[in-house]
Amino acid sequence: MSEPHTEYANLIDGRLVPASTGLSIEVVDPADGSVFATLPRSAAADVDAAVDAARAALHGAWGRMTATERGRVLTRLSALITEHHAELAALESRDTGKPIQQARVDITACARYFEYYGGAADKLHGETIPYAAGSTVMVLRVPHGVTAHIIPWNYPAQIYGRSVGGALAAGNACVVKPAEDACLTPLVISALALQAGVPPGALNVVCGLGSEAGAALAAHPGINHLSFTGSTVTGTAVAQAAAVNHVPVTLELGGKAPQIVFADADLDAALPVVVNAIVQNAGQTCSAGSRVLIERGIHDEVLERLASRFKALRTGPGAAAPDCGPLISARQLARVQGKFESALQAGARIVARAQLLPDAPATGFYFPPVLLAGLPLSHEVAQDEVFGPVLAAFSFEGEDEAVHLANATPYGLTAAVWTRDGGRALRMAHRIEAGQVFINNYGAGGGIELPFGGMKHSGYGREKAFEGLKSFTTLKTVAILHG
Ligand code: NDP
């Protein structure tokens, strides 16, 4: 007998409400393709109600709260997330398919975002400027007002935490549109936020399709800032919609991160990280290390050692704690499979492929990790995100060629350099076009304390860190002539 479906609702003005359309979206378990819950399929009217509630909260209890009180509320939310850690991790794993150990890391990170931004709320301030004689000039740092947050499906809890945590700490009121494939932890954590003391209306979640609720939010004249993480195509559409209302946007649009391995690298340290950087979250990570650039002298040895690691990887249901879980959806599986087949047709060869666990349900969305070599540099798999566990290997000779290859895609989000030569490491860090460069380690965008965001087509603006908090504020200059 199949389990009864849990019916999730929007959170608007502190109340759980169905979509005004009366329609719902099925929530699918990526491990076996079964439906286990439903979500509201919201329309523009629901977005209007959420934006109105957020605006009212700014004029009400939320707007009157001191920064210290806001910080305490967020710190309490962090503690509540930690208290509910096990159930949130299980929900995140089921909703997205990610291995349970990865889901645990994600929930811990989400709690840490609220801890970090809770602590930072009353350390954020403006400054004064020496100006004309007999005057005092204050530059106040103030919230934007109503902030919109369009969240993707790959790390719903983490990206919700980094975005909403910073926005609330700065005193904004939020309207969140999670991805239709991964709404559950943002909804449950937002309900915990009410318990922690976030007043009704200060935090609203509207579920639905990107083309309906998402588009309505991006184009809404009542929002004052928009934070978007997702594809370049949708990011462009969202930024264009927001531009009509002159709403500032932060865009985090993915990458094609290189792992650059020089002949003098500590391979024992580098290779497990190189593998993890593409296998983590089944490669559905904006900062996935999807290209490995290997110095010619060690190319064959590195490829052989990577191959044996790939062959040992286990792919299966997230609950079984495999190395690699299923992809998020049948649509994503088809997308990744299509790009993989196109790479093979273009001349790429399979160096190694991971195993699928024998008990992985045939109805799940599995794509065992694969290591490719011989891919033409101009091919889309060498240039663009696959968003699946596909690692493409290339060789180079010397620093100049390494820099050239590293920068030879439209993206510039993250990169890693593996070398024992300190001077080379720093030269590479200066020459690589990316928002984050890791030397002899790789955080896959990790580090709540580290500013994160891209160059080139990876987007603009920064999230995470204190920088992320500042991006949820604007400046107001008050010039007083007092004699
Ligand atoms: P999208 O960019 O379309 O989705 C990201 C978010 O935008 C989701 O919440 C989505 O909602 C929403 N959205 C979609 N269309 C609109 C719209 N017209 N207006 C406003 N919001 C909208 O990515 P996909 O899910 O389609 O994934 C496609 C590819 O994008 C992936 O293969 C990957 O390469 C890249 N991607 C990159 C991510 C990153 O971390 N940088 C994250 C996710 C995807 P909904 O899902 O409900 O449609």
Side-chain angles (χ1 to χ4, degrees):
M1 209 179 76
S2 63
E3 63 182 301
H5 297 172
T6 308
E7 287 179 27
Y8 287 88
N10 288 329
L11 179 68
I12 298 178
D13 205 12
R15 288 190 301 274
L16 295 173
V17 288
S20 61
T21 58
L23 300 173
S24 59
I25 300 169
E26 291 184 333
V27 180
V28 175
D29 183 340
D32 59 11
S34 64
V35 174
F36 67 97
T38 60
L39 292 168
R41 181 171 162 181
S42 309
D46 305 290
V47 173
D48 289 343
V51 173
D52 288 350
R55 181 67 57 198
L58 290 171
H59 295 300
W62 181 242
R64 286 193 297 273
M65 225 182 242
T66 64
T68 306
E69 285 169 326
R70 283 200 307 270
R72 286 186 185 138
V73 166
L74 297 188
T75 308
R76 273 201 296 277
L77 174 55
S78 172
L80 280 171
I81 295 169
T82 303
E83 205 178 294
H84 293 269
H85 190 278
E87 67 215 58
L88 286 168
L91 189 64
E92 188 79 330
S93 172
R94 183 149 196 214
D95 196 18
T96 64
K98 63 180 70 195
I100 184 67
Q101 67 276 23
Q102 174 66 44
R104 290 190 189 113
V105 169
D106 289 8
I107 300 303
T108 301
C110 181
R112 173 79 184 115
Y113 278 115
F114 287 104
E115 180 189 33
Y116 179 88
Y117 286 122
D122 60 4
K123 282 106 197 148
L124 179 70
H125 53 75
E127 54 188 18
T128 59
I129 296 179
Y131 189 52
S135 75
T136 300
V137 175
M138 302 178 288
V139 182
L140 307 179
R141 196 170 269 287
V142 297
H144 290 289
V146 176
T147 51
H149 306 260
I150 298 181
I151 314 266
W153 43 260
N154 53 343
Y155 291 89
Q158 282 218 43
I159 295 175
Y160 167 93
R162 83 181 186 205
S163 192
V164 167
L168 289 177
N172 299 283
C174 305
V175 179
V176 181
K177 209 305 274 177
E180 69 204 61
D181 287 326
C183 283
L184 304 189
T185 53
L187 280 170
V188 174
I189 297 169
S190 299
L192 291 178
L194 293 182
Q195 227 177 295
V198 172
L203 174 57
N204 307 278
V205 186
V206 184
C207 302
L209 303 182
S211 55
E212 297 174 354
L217 182 58
H220 204 290
I223 62 169
N224 305 109
H225 181 273
L226 189 144
S227 159
F228 173 86
T229 303
S231 64
T232 47
V233 173
T234 305
T236 306
V238 156
Q240 283 172 335
V244 171
N245 299 311
H246 309 109
V247 167
V249 177
T250 300
L251 292 181
E252 198 266 86
L253 304 179
K256 196 69 199 170
Q259 296 277 332
I260 307 165
V261 187
F262 281 93
D264 67 350
D266 176 352
L267 295 183
D268 291 339
L271 300 189
V273 179
V274 169
V275 172
N276 186 55
I278 186 65
V279 172
Q280 177 179 324
N281 216 42
Q284 304 165 119
T285 305
C286 45
S287 49
S290 52
R291 297 181 295 151
V292 58
L293 314 182
I294 311 165
E295 196 157 35
R296 207 147 285 143
I298 56 163
H299 178 264
D300 293 353
E301 178 197 351
V302 168
L303 221 52
E304 213 170 284
R305 287 175 67 174
L306 286 176
S308 64
R309 287 185 172 275
F310 265 73
K311 286 180 198 152
L313 294 168
R314 297 161 314 123
T315 305
D323 301 297
C324 183
L327 300 179
I328 185 80
S329 61
R331 187 174 60 154
Q332 189 64 12
L333 176 59
R335 207 181 261 152
V336 171
Q337 186 67 32
K339 291 186 181 186
F340 169 60
E341 281 163 16
S342 152
L344 295 182
Q345 275 160 20
R349 74 185 162 85
I350 299 173
V351 179
R353 186 112 203 231
Q355 317 153 12
L356 184 59
L357 288 172
D359 53 354
T363 46
F365 311 135
Y366 299 98
F367 185 92
V370 65
L371 173 61
L372 296 179
L375 188 63
L377 267 180
S378 57
H379 190 270
E380 84 168 309
V381 169
Q383 290 292 317
D384 210 344
E385 285 192 319
V386 175
F387 237 57
V390 178
L391 178 61
F394 302 91
S395 68
F396 68 89
E397 191 63 60
E399 285 176 33
D400 285 346
E401 197 182 2
V403 170
H404 169 73
L405 288 180
N407 292 339
T409 79
Y411 293 101
L413 190 60
T414 55
V417 180
W418 299 89
T419 176
R420 287 190 170 96
D421 180 333
R424 164 187 289 156
L426 290 175
R427 284 191 296 277
M428 293 295 293
H430 283 288
R431 296 176 70 190
I432 290 172
E433 296 160 352
Q436 287 187 336
V437 180
F438 293 86
I439 309 293
N440 294 328
N441 74 107
Y442 194 63
I448 280 136
E449 307 82 355
L450 312 183
F452 182 63
M455 296 179 177
K456 306 195 293 189
H457 291 283
S458 290
Y460 46 79
R462 293 291 176 267
E463 296 212 33
K464 304 190 177 189
F466 212 78
E467 212 54 50
L469 184 57
K470 283 190 193 161
S471 74
F472 286 112
T473 64
T474 187
L475 300 176
K476 181 189 282 182
T477 304
V478 181
I480 309 158
L481 187 62
H482 41 69

